[in-house]
């Protein structure tokens, strides 16, 4: 029995429930924080904490990964199970559970609840999705339900902030009381063995753990816990199970039969269903949207519209930012005395970081669009549609969700693989997720498409090219997965069952939050990682600056009147800089891709993050341009005017094959330190990060080479 720890103690409360039941939404509503919600599994894969108070009582709220059962199968589920069992070394057992129960799916949700009640932790039930249940014609009598389950039930609508006060009040009150006692009874022999196991478990004992250990025939939990030395080895466990089997019990079906039997009996008086199941809007739409042919066509259409929107909607905004960047540059160059500092600030920081920030509007559109698709319930359908493709590659639809979220950024995509049970499937998904084009690549594509593939072409063309580039990753990722599953990571995947949430109007708040999150992390990156790299790039391009004829290059250029000589000096300066020297060294390597040394070093410099290439090009092609041109600061124009190796009147540096080969390179390369770090973290070994880097770089080089060579032939 729980003790009353006195008023000073902060209550620890955990939200436990199936995936998609609205736990994170409730968490956000209670704590005022803004954690990411999403209507598919894998959004919350870590324990998130927040605090609120009620009547002077401090409450720590934990949002934990959703799970269908406390029989863990994947790393994210294990986290929840350990927490409830009080076996998580860094998180003590919560004082109270909020069982978050989806009213439109009451029985299935209660399965988890019956398990949780056996943990001995007091609990309160929060009934969510009551609106959905009503639409499906399901009525739940809250009072009767509370009576027959023996625990308080509170209806909440977290999005509308309804029922929150009631929930808080109930929490604090319930905490003072004993945990509910009327649990599920298992057959007598089973309960006898259970008592024996309980006595062996010592301090960590709970009915829940004893039952889990007896019921698990593959020993996943027992092994995992024994490995972490959390519980003593239970020597006689296998023999207990043998005895139970001998008495005619089927350990595979026993739990479901017993629990669902109990649930049916207890909920029958509280729930009324329509005589004929209601055909909802969702059912009607899904007839088309999850159809093999129509569904796929619709998916492609939606993606196509997304890429169109990215170009057309962002145009005016980009123009403003460009003008703003020009104005800031001009203001600062008038303010600062001419010299190294001015060059660092104007040519390095403003030009480099500014060239990247220009793409903010497109990032916002991408994130906004993805958030809308997600929140209205469509993303889950996309995963469902792709299940067949993924099965063909030896994976399941579960792997598609991480791939799809990688379209914004591979880091959350890779984190969301924690929902995948099978170790090899999970590793395969981690390794191929970075092939999917992310928002950093969007910027590279967008720059080059607008510079070389949009003028004088039909309005849909730029969007179409973007669609194809994204398509390249979306095709290569499953293909690579297939190869990996055939070779390094052989093994059979597990069947995949995914729940499709009902369609709904996307919540403005949720979408706004996602867009804001995206914008914020983009700007933070621009201000830190990108800015730092830009300073570095500027420095290796600025030094050495000794002019062979005496003085320095900048001084020499400042005194020169002839524009042509000025440009020649500038080009000479860049070419003999550290960056230039490195560039000439690698030029033979990148020439077959159609690049000169400047593109080569810009690519090399973008090892920390792909968007660095834009800033680097901005610095290389923008540095010291004469006043009026620099004032406009139009990188696209500078790229269009660039000549091969900066030779005046020489052949243009960029033609279409060169632009395409650069885009293909960036589509396939793994120039992103954050991704490599998260791969190391999730795969558990640096070797896998290295493997990803090597295979993607080889793939990128080969892809760019083929693109350029074929492009030139055509
Ligand atoms: P979690 O997986 O349990 O953390 O669920 P989320 O909090 O991420 O919510 C899943 C989805 O359900 C989101 O799209 C929410 O906006 C939505 N949602 C949450 N609560 C309710 C509710 O009471 N009614 C309806 N209709 N939708 C809800
Ligand atoms: Mg969540």
């Amino acid at each position: 029995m729980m003790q009353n720890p006195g008023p000073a103690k902060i209550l620890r409360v955990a939200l436990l429930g199936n995936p998609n039941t609205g736990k994170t939404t409730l968490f956000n509503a209670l704590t005022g924080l803004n954690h990411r919600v999403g209507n598919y599994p894998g959004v919350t894969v870590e324990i998130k904490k927040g605090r609120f108070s009620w009547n002077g009582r401090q409450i720590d709220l934990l949002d934990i990964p959703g799970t269908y059962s406390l029989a863990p199968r994947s790393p994210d589920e294990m986290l929840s199970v350990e927490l409830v069992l009080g076996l998580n070394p860094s998180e003590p057992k919560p004082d109270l559970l909020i069982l978050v129960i989806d009213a439109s799916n009451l029985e299935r949700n209660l399965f988890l609840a019956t398990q949780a009640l056996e943990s001995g932790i007091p609990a309160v039930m929060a009934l969510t999705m009551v609106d959905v249940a009503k639409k499906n014609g399901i009525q739940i009598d809250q009072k009767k339900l509370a009576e027959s389950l023996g625990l308080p039930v509170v209806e909440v609508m977290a999005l509308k902030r309804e029922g929150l006060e009631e929930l808080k009040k109930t929490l604090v009150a319930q905490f003072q009381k004993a945990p509910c006692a009327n649990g599920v009874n298992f057959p007598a022999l089973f309960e006898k063995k259970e008592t024996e196991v309980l006595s062996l478990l010592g301090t960590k004992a709970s009915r829940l753990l004893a039952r889990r250990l007896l019921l698990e025939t593959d020993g996943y939990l027992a092994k995992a816990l024994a490995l972490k030395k959390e519980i003593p080895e239970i020597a006689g466990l296998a023999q207990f199970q043998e005895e139970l089997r001998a008495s005619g019990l089927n350990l595979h079906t026993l739990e479901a039969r017993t629990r669902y039997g109990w649930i049916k009996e207890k909920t029958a008086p509280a729930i009324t269903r329509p005589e004929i199941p209601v055909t909802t809007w969702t059912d009607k739409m899904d007839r088309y949207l999850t159809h093999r042919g129509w569904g796929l066509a619709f998916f492609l259409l939606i993606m196509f519209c997304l890429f169109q929107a990215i170009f057309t909607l962002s145009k005016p905004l980009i123009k403003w930012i460009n003008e703003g960047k020009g104005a800031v540059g001009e203001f600062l160059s008038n303010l600062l005395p001419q010299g190294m500092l001015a060059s660092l600030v104007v040519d390095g920081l403003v030009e480099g970081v500014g060239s990247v920030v220009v793409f903010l509007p497109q990032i916002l559109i991408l994130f906004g669009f993805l958030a809308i698709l997600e929140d209205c319930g469509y993303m889950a359908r996309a995963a469902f549609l792709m299940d067949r493709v993924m099965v063909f590659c030896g994976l399941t639809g579960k792997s598609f969700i991480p791939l799809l979220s990688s379209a914004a950024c591979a880091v959350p995509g890779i984190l969301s693989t924690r929902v995948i049970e099978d170790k090899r499937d999970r590793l395969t998904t981690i390794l191929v997720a970075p092939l999917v084009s992310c928002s950093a690549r969007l910027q590279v594509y967008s720059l080059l498409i607008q510079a070389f593939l949009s003028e004088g072409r039909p309005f849909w063309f730029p969007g179409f090219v973007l669609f194809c580039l994204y398509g390249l990753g979306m095709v290569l990722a499953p293909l690579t997965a297939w190869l990996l599953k055939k070779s390094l990571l052989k093994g059979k995947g597990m069947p995949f069952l995914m729940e499709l949430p009902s369609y709904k109007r996307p919540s403005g708040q949720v979408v706004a939050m996602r867009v804001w999150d995206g914008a914020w992390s983009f700007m933070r990156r621009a201000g830190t990682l990108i800015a730092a790299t830009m300073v570095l790039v500027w420095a290796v391009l600025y030094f050495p600056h000794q002019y062979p004829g005496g003085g320095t290059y900048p001084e020499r250029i400042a005194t020169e009147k002839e524009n042509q000589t000025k440009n020649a000096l500038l080009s000479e300066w860049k070419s003999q800089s550290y960056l230039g020297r490195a560039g000439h060294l690698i030029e033979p390597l990148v020439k077959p891709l159609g690049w000169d040394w400047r593109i080569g070093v810009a690519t090399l410099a973008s090892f920390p993050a792909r968007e660095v290439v834009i800033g680097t090009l901005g610095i290389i092609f923008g540095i010291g341009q004469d006043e009026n041109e620099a004032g406009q600061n139009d990188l696209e124009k500078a790229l269009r005017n660039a000549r091969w190796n900066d030779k005046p009147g020489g052949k243009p540096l960029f033609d279409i094959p060169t632009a395409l080969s650069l885009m293909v390179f960036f589509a396939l390369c793994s120039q992103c330190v954050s991704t490599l770090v998260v791969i190391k973290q999730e795969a558990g070994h640096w070797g896998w990060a290295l493997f990803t880097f090597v295979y993607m770089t080889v793939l990128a080089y080969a892809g760019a080479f083929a693109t350029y060579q074929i492009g030139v032939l055509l």
Side-chain angles (χ1 to χ4, degrees), residues 10-15 23 26-28 30-31 33 47-52 59-63 98 171:
I10 299 170
L11 266 189
R12 290 169 49 80
V13 177
L15 290 160
K23 295 181 297 301
L26 184 58
F27 176 87
N28 288 345
L30 286 172
T31 60
L33 292 172
I47 296 179
K48 300 260 171 71
K49 276 187 246 180
R51 180 171 290 187
F52 64 95
I59 297 163
D60 266 345
L61 191 63
L62 310 181
D63 186 17
I98 301 181
L171 286 184

Side-chain angles (χ1 to χ4, degrees), residues 389-396 425 481-482 485 491-494:
V389 179
M390 301 315 279
V391 167
F392 177 79
C393 305
L395 298 174
T396 70
D425 280 10
W482 178 78
K485 287 290 289 185
K492 243 184 86 178
M494 290 201 179

Side-chain angles (χ1 to χ4, degrees), residues 347-367:
D347 304 328
L349 282 173
V350 176
E351 187 55 53
V353 177
S355 308
V356 177
V357 170
V358 161
F359 293 96
L360 179 64
Q362 301 194 328
I363 304 285
L364 298 187
I365 296 171
L366 177 74
F367 278 90

